[in-house]
Amino acid sequence: MTKEFYSNGKLLLTGEYAVLDGALSLATPTKQGQSMTINEIPERIINWISYDNENNIWFSCIFDCNSMEILNKREKKSKDWLAIVNTLQSILKETKRQNKTFLNQNYGYQIETRLSFPRNWGLGSSSTLINNVAVWANVNPYILLENTMGGSGYDIACAQNNFPIFYQKKEGNPFVEITNFNPPFKENLFFIHLNKKQNSRDAIISYRECSFDKAKLVKDITLLTKQIANCKSLPDFESLITTHEELLSKTLKTPTVKDLLFSDYKSSIKSLGGWGGDFVLATGNKECISYFKTKGYPTVINYTDIIK
């Protein structure tokens, strides 16, 4: 018996960091995501194989279904492999804690996951995995995320929805609302990859160490999110995302990405997610593609090519 699951990737357009404290944020699922195929096998093991977007195996491991012991841990493996396998083990153990019948059948599983985006893009290789596992095991993906990887949960909401969303944490619970965000100037919006992946947990820790008026930041970001979501003109949009950048720059005591890397760029640039890695959003026209490539950032994607 074969089971198949699929979850969307994500991009957080507004509210990075502040979403953790209850700010309203605008997020959107991506056309790229991660699939998971599960086949039953006679042996009581989980034979896990993960493929990247070029169909190459980038990770594999074997678990005992009863003890959740990593059966091939004694093989010569890298530190990266150990970190990944330990994270996956914690996800499976937490899933089993939430659902006592999970993995209790008299058979095992051959599991294959496939990304449709490069691993270093930061579109949610972890959140799409957690959502797929949660749907398979019939557990709450938000609780599974909270008890393993941590984070606000907006990425889980994107994994499950095919339209832009408003996301907000209210008294610790996720609030998700579909929005009709569809800017008439989307041909002037581009996503540029900064050639490195940001560690979300490290970014959250750094944010938590900052001293600021949390309530005011949440209020200001919530207002900006609503204004950005309803914006109909490119100049207004540019003004709003610049204000968003400056507000968080002051909070984080960190230069904006434009000041740091692209100070001579004529249009606007906004950080997305954890500052310092993954993607940024830029306004402009097709000529901006050559600008960023000349600067050493070859991955420049138009809004309509990545956003669902």
Side-chain angles (χ1 to χ4, degrees):
M1 179 180 178
T2 300
K3 294 183 178 180
E4 295 184 359
F5 304 91
Y6 179 83
S7 293
N8 300 314
K10 47 73 181 179
L11 282 169
L12 187 63
L13 301 185
T14 72
E16 63 271 20
Y17 297 104
V19 66
L20 293 161
D21 293 317
L24 184 71
S25 299
L26 176 64
T28 181
T30 62
K31 293 179 178 178
Q32 298 81 10
Q34 181 167 207
S35 63
M36 183 171 74
T37 304
I38 301 169
N39 284 289
E40 298 171 4
I41 57 177
E43 193 176 357
R44 287 281 294 147
I45 62 169
I46 296 175
N47 186 23
W48 191 290
I49 303 175
S50 295
Y51 295 86
D52 64 18
N53 63 305
E54 295 181 343
N55 207 35
N56 297 315
I57 296 175
W58 67 271
F59 171 77
S60 63
C61 63
I62 302 172
F63 296 97
D64 181 276
C65 282
N66 297 313
S67 65
M68 297 308 302
E69 179 186 353
I70 303 164
L71 297 180
N72 56 336
K73 193 171 185 176
R74 293 183 180 180
E75 296 178 17
K76 190 174 181 180
K77 301 290 185 180
S78 67
K79 289 183 178 179
D80 286 344
W81 182 88
L82 288 172
I84 294 166
V85 78
N86 287 334
T87 298
L88 178 56
Q89 183 187 48
S90 71
I91 291 171
L92 294 173
K93 282 184 174 181
E94 174 61 23
T95 304
K96 192 170 180 62
R97 189 190 68 80
Q98 289 188 43
N99 180 356
K100 304 301 183 184
T101 66
F102 181 58
L103 303 179
N104 279 356
Q105 294 74 18
N106 59 356
Y107 46 81
Y109 300 94
Q110 172 79 26
I111 300 178
E112 295 183 357
T113 65
R114 295 180 185 273
L115 290 168
S116 57
F117 57 85
R119 287 178 57 217
N120 71 334
W121 275 18
L123 294 186
S125 54
S126 297
S127 57
T128 51
L129 170 65
I130 286 174
N131 191 64
N132 283 337
V133 170
V135 175
W136 170 37
N138 194 27
V139 301
N140 188 316
Y142 293 100
I143 296 176
L144 183 57
L145 175 73
E146 177 66 26
N147 292 346
T148 53
M149 305 295 293
S152 69
Y154 86 89
D155 42 8
I156 296 296
C158 285
Q160 298 177 347
N161 285 282
N162 292 321
F163 301 95
I165 59 169
F166 284 127
Y167 181 85
Q168 190 172 25
K169 292 187 76 174
K170 294 184 176 181
E171 298 180 353
N173 297 313
F175 166 80
V176 183
E177 181 184 357
I178 299 295
T179 176
N180 61 352
F181 181 67
N182 185 27
F185 45 85
K186 56 181 174 286
E187 292 297 330
N188 298 106
L189 302 180
F190 297 85
F191 295 98
I192 298 89
H193 192 254
L194 296 182
N195 299 335
K196 59 181 180 179
K197 192 176 187 302
Q198 180 64 294
N199 185 306
S200 299
R201 280 187 274 191
D202 289 346
I204 291 171
I205 291 170
S206 297
Y207 168 71
R208 290 300 188 204
E209 292 175 348
C210 295
S211 177
F212 58 93
D213 187 336
K214 183 188 298 184
K216 187 177 187 307
L217 178 67
V218 167
K219 181 179 178 180
D220 291 344
I221 291 295
T222 294
L223 177 60
L224 281 169
T225 291
K226 292 177 180 178
Q227 292 173 328
I228 288 170
N230 293 314
C231 193
K232 300 303 180 186
S233 79
L234 183 60
D236 288 346
F237 184 83
E238 290 177 322
S239 175
L240 289 166
I241 64 173
T242 297
T243 299
H244 194 296
E245 277 289 276
E246 292 172 349
L247 179 58
L248 273 177
S249 174
K250 182 179 179 181
T251 300
L252 300 171
K253 298 179 176 60
T254 301
T256 66
V257 69
K258 184 173 181 179
D259 287 343
L260 198 62
L261 299 175
F262 311 110
S263 59
D264 59 339
Y265 187 65
K266 295 179 181 179
S267 296
S268 300
I269 299 176
K270 183 189 177 302
S271 298
L272 304 175
W275 282 29
D278 299 325
F279 283 93
V280 296
L281 170 65
T283 63
N285 52 38
K286 290 185 178 180
E287 293 178 1
C288 80
I289 296 175
S290 59
Y291 167 87
F292 289 107
K293 288 186 176 181
T294 300
K295 287 282 188 176
Y297 301 93
T299 304
V300 183
I301 308 172
N302 185 263
Y303 184 96
T304 55
D305 290 331
I306 193 170
I307 299 301
K308 272 205 167 189

